[in-house]
Amino acid sequence: MKTIVITGGTDGIGAALAVTYRRRGDNVVIVGRDAAKGVEVLDAAGDIGGEGLVVPADLSLIGENDRVVKEIKAKFPTVDALVLCARYFNSRRTVTADGFEHTFALFYLSRFLLGHGLADTLAETSSPVIMNVAGPGPNPVEIQWDDLEMTRGYQGVNALMQGGRLNDLLGVAFAERHPGSPIRYVLLHPGSTATSFAGEYDPPTAAQIESMRRLGKPVAKSIVPIVAALDEPPPEPLSAIVEGRRIGIEGGGFDRDKALRLDRITKELLSR
C-alpha cells in the first residue's frame, strides 16, 4: 500500500489520479480549496482499502503550505508520491494576502515548498517520486529575472508559461539540493487535455479555453503517462516527459546555474 499526495486533486487530472490510486487500495491525500469536492472524488472511488483524506488549503499562501506539510507528516510516517497539479489561471494580475503574484505563488512557490517540505518523508520509502505536472521544455516566454512576479505588462498566458520555466529550474535545483536521495523528480506535460481549466478568464481567453476543452484529449488518456511514471519512476534523479516521450534536460531551460540562482532568489523571497 502506497501513500499518494495530490494537489489539485478535486478536478481533472488530479481527481482522476486520486480515483485511480484509491481504487487500488492506496492511501490518497487530496489537497485543495474545496473540501466538499475532494470528498466527492474519494466517494466516487469507493472504499476499497487504504485511507482517503482531504486536506483543505489555499496553496497560494505560504503558511497554508507549511500547515499542509505538517498535517501530512503527522498523519503518515512516509509518503510514496507527491503529485503537483494545482494551478489557476488569472487574466488580470492578482496579489495574494502574502503579497505575491497569485500565479507565481500557486504554480511555483507552492511546488517549491511542498516538494522540499516533504522530501524527508518521501526519502523513507523504496521508490519515491515527485510528479510536477507543469509543461516542461521550450516555450516562447523568457524568465523575467528582474520582475518574476510580472508587475509590468502582466499577461495571464505569459505568467503561466513563465511558471513552466520556473518549474523546470525547480526540478534541476531539487536534484542539486538532495544529492544521493532516492527521490525521483519528474517534470511532465500530458498534452492538451479536456479538463476544468480552473481560472478567471477575459472573453478572448475564455473562447480559447472553450476550444481547448472541445479539442483536448480525455483525462483518462492524459493520466496514462503520469500513472506509468508514478508506478515505475525513471532511474535518473530528474527527468522530463512530454506526452509520453522523454525530452533532454541538458542546458537551455534546465541550466544548472540558472536553477541555483532561482533557488537563492526563492529562499530570499520566502524569508521576508
Side-chain angles (χ1 to χ4, degrees):
M1 180 188 299
K2 293 183 177 181
T3 297
I4 316 292
V5 177
I6 305 172
T7 70
T10 58
D11 287 296
I13 288 173
L17 291 170
V19 169
T20 296
Y21 284 96
R22 186 81 174 100
R23 287 177 175 170
R24 291 187 183 183
D26 291 323
N27 299 322
V28 172
V29 181
I30 292 176
V31 184
R33 295 192 64 168
D34 193 328
K37 289 176 69 175
V39 171
E40 289 176 3
V41 171
L42 294 178
D43 287 347
D47 187 4
I48 297 178
E51 184 168 354
L53 177 66
V54 178
V55 180
D58 179 354
L59 294 178
S60 71
L61 300 176
I62 305 307
E64 289 283 85
N65 285 275
D66 294 339
R67 176 179 61 81
V68 166
V69 168
K70 291 176 182 176
E71 287 192 20
I72 292 172
K73 287 183 174 182
K75 185 71 175 180
F76 299 101
T78 60
V79 171
D80 296 270
L82 170 63
V83 185
L84 302 167
C85 289
R87 192 172 70 177
Y88 191 88
F89 185 93
N90 290 288
S91 286
R92 291 182 295 180
R93 189 176 187 274
T94 303
V95 177
T96 70
D98 293 328
F100 293 111
E101 188 275 315
H102 188 273
T103 300
F104 179 74
L106 178 61
F107 194 31
Y108 171 67
L109 290 181
S110 172
R111 299 183 185 214
F112 177 98
L113 290 164
L114 293 176
H116 289 298
L118 290 172
D120 54 346
T121 308
L122 283 154
E124 293 297 318
T125 62
S126 59
S127 187
V129 57
I130 296 177
M131 174 66 63
N132 189 334
V133 183
N139 75 52
V141 172
E142 295 296 329
I143 295 174
Q144 298 183 26
W145 289 102
D146 64 338
D147 190 22
L148 288 174
E149 299 179 62
M150 294 188 171
T151 60
R152 303 184 299 273
Y154 175 89
Q155 293 182 2
V157 171
N158 287 357
L160 206 59
M161 295 181 78
Q162 176 178 259
R165 285 196 173 273
L166 298 181
N167 277 293
D168 285 352
L169 296 179
L170 170 58
V172 174
F174 185 93
E176 288 285 334
R177 283 183 56 183
H178 300 275
S181 170
I183 300 171
R184 298 300 177 243
Y185 202 106
V186 182
L187 298 157
L188 189 142
H189 179 34
S192 180
T193 305
T195 185
S196 63
F197 296 104
E200 297 179 2
Y201 300 97
D202 57 27
T205 308
Q208 295 176 0
I209 293 300
E210 187 55 38
S211 176
M212 292 172 65
R213 285 195 180 103
R214 293 196 307 270
L215 301 176
K217 69 181 73 172
V219 170
K221 185 175 181 180
S222 289
I223 70 169
V224 170
I226 301 176
V227 171
L230 288 172
D231 290 348
E232 295 187 24
E236 300 88 356
L238 174 67
S239 57
I241 301 171
V242 176
E243 297 194 69
R245 298 177 292 101
R246 296 281 295 271
I247 65 171
I249 55 170
E250 294 78 26
F254 301 94
D255 183 82
R256 177 181 179 275
D257 290 339
K258 291 180 181 178
L260 295 180
R261 177 186 180 185
L262 178 62
D263 190 72
R264 289 192 298 270
I265 292 172
T266 304
K267 291 176 184 176
E268 291 170 0
L269 287 172
L270 292 172
S271 68
R272 66 190 189 187

